Amino acid sequence: MIFNSIRSKLTAWYVFVLATILVLFSALLYYFLSQRLYESVDNSLKVSANVVAKTALLKYSGAPPGLEFFFEQFLGFGNLNKFYRIYDESGNVGSRSRNIDASQFPLTQSAYANAVGGEVTYETFKVFETYPIRVITMPVMRNNVLVNLVQVGTSLEGVHETLRNLRIFLFTVVTATLMLTTLVGRFMARRALKPVAKITQTARAIAGGADLSKRIPVPEEQDEIGSLATTFNDMMDRLENSFSQMRQFGSDASHELRTPLTVLKGQSELTLSKARTTQEYQEVLSSNLEEINYMSRIIEDLFTLSKSDEGRIKLDLAPVDLSSIIVEVCKHGEVLAAEKNISIVVSYLEPARINGDAFRLRQMIWNLLHNGIKYTPPGGEVKISLQEKDDFAFLTVQDNGIGISENDLPFIFNRFYRADKARSRHDRGSGLGLSICKFIVESHKGEVQVESQLGVGTKFKVRLPKIPSPESQPRAKSPHPAVPNLEVSG
Ligand code: ADP
């Protein structure tokens, strides 16, 4: 197909529009010019007829001596292009230029009738083979009575020649212009669309070779094509990023699940290899249950994260008081903390209402508190506080536990990242808890930060936007007197 490329379509439209404009313009020019030319012929005929009429007023029946000579010299009747005839009131020829035969153009009935009525008539006759002639028939009146008729004719050769030349000129100019614009248009369209061809080429190479690192060269000019190239490259950045994340995520997830599965398989095979006592079976089964619990935790967390990636987690937003969630979470944490002889201290607790999903907020606070308990040695302390300032609620969870090294700190929110790789299998986490915390905080338009020092402790700071409420007053400014029974010592 000729028009299956944008370049051809653009050129075709461009040429079509230009052709229409040029043809219309030429037609109008031709029309007005021909009108003017015919008008100027009629005007010059009228001038000549007036001069002849003045002479005719002398009312002679034959040509006065020297008259033809005068006309030939001054009105140009000598050449074959201009003729005159003078009739008497009855329409009989009285005088005529010498260059015309009486029969060559007639005095028509209508022209005579008009003349009797005192009106001028213009007519066109085809007398010669080549060009028609234009004739004016003018009455000569004296005291409102027709005394003579004057006819002056001229060949339209000049006008026709001029119009013919104009037609040739316009045709040549229009054709040449259209041919030139077709060539220039195609060239310009090709130049303008060159980056698009590059984009297609790159996209094809990416699709063919699945090489997501390829990028399109961005043209210097930031026009529509430039911004298309930039957008395409941005899209490729994001695609490449999420593909590599997916790949990493998949391999991490399978790795995480392979270990407990291997343990489960090994333990089961070993147990079944010979007869065991009931106690031995119980031990193996409880160890297996631990692995199964661990796997279900990972699968649960993975499910949450993959739903969050797909944007399938719909937050059930409603006004919630963070302080009441903290009280609830701390109560649950007490049991775990007590097992490890750790105190949970609520240092500040101001009511802070935010527009949030209570279930997800509880999950986030639990993850932080649980980590504090997990990574703090017995006898340690996990402090939690909630304060409000301006339009924000500030939540901190601080422990005096093992801390996180400077090298690990930037990565702890990454999926499956664990700083303390040597931790016993018994209390290992999935490595997904902080990623989930980050997702929950960010989906509430908040921010989470961490400060930590190895061997000293870790502090997580969460900032969440509050619901502005003028009547919300601080409940407690001093360490937790309003929340009894939260400090748990083992
Ligand atoms: P996990 O399930 O392993 O706890 P998280 O995503 O919750 O996974 O945390 C990632 C890593 O960050 C942990 O493995 C741990 O090394 C480190 N970490 C998190 N919280 C603390 C803390 N309070 N103290 C010390 N290290 C922590």
Side-chain angles (χ1 to χ4, degrees), residues 25-131:
F25 172 78
S26 307
L28 282 175
L29 180 76
Y30 184 83
Y31 173 76
F32 285 115
L33 210 77
S34 61
Q35 289 291 101
R36 295 294 308 153
L37 281 174
Y38 284 116
E39 261 173 40
S40 74
V41 167
D42 286 354
N43 285 342
S44 91
L45 280 178
K46 199 171 186 178
V47 171
S48 302
N50 270 325
V51 176
V52 177
K54 290 256 158 51
T55 317
L57 267 176
L58 299 172
K59 197 167 187 318
Y60 53 87
S61 53
L67 189 64
E68 276 88 359
F69 176 75
F70 170 76
F71 285 158
E72 279 166 19
Q73 289 300 306
F74 296 101
L75 297 178
F77 290 132
N79 60 52
L80 278 167
N81 282 342
K82 244 180 178 181
F83 335 97
Y84 80 90
R85 263 200 313 234
I86 304 173
Y87 298 85
D88 62 17
E89 70 276 18
S90 336
N92 300 316
V93 180
S95 165
R96 63 174 175 82
S97 52
R98 285 178 291 177
N99 56 2
I100 190 156
D101 193 312
S103 63
Q104 280 178 322
F105 62 97
L107 172 63
T108 59
Q109 287 288 335
S110 57
Y112 182 70
N114 285 345
V116 172
E119 273 176 40
V120 172
T121 309
Y122 291 99
E123 291 161 304
T124 307
F125 298 106
K126 182 92 184 154
V127 174
F128 307 115
E129 278 301 298
T130 46
Y131 298 104

Side-chain angles (χ1 to χ4, degrees), residues 437-472:
C437 283
K438 192 169 183 322
F439 157 72
I440 294 173
V441 171
E442 285 177 354
S443 60
H444 281 82
K445 299 189 173 63
E447 205 186 336
V448 55
Q449 284 176 352
V450 60
E451 289 167 7
S452 189
Q453 213 180 330
L454 213 54
V456 178
T458 307
K459 184 178 186 180
F460 284 96
K461 296 193 287 185
V462 175
R463 193 187 71 173
L464 290 164
K466 271 191 343 177
I467 300 174
S469 91
E471 67 272 14
S472 72

Side-chain angles (χ1 to χ4, degrees), residues 371-372 374-375 399 402-404 412 417-420 423 429-434 458 460:
N371 277 356
K374 266 197 300 190
Y375 302 113
D399 62 62
I402 59 171
I404 304 165
I412 58 161
Y417 192 85
R418 293 193 194 95
D420 54 336
R423 195 144 36 94
S430 65
L432 297 171
L434 287 181
T458 307
F460 284 96

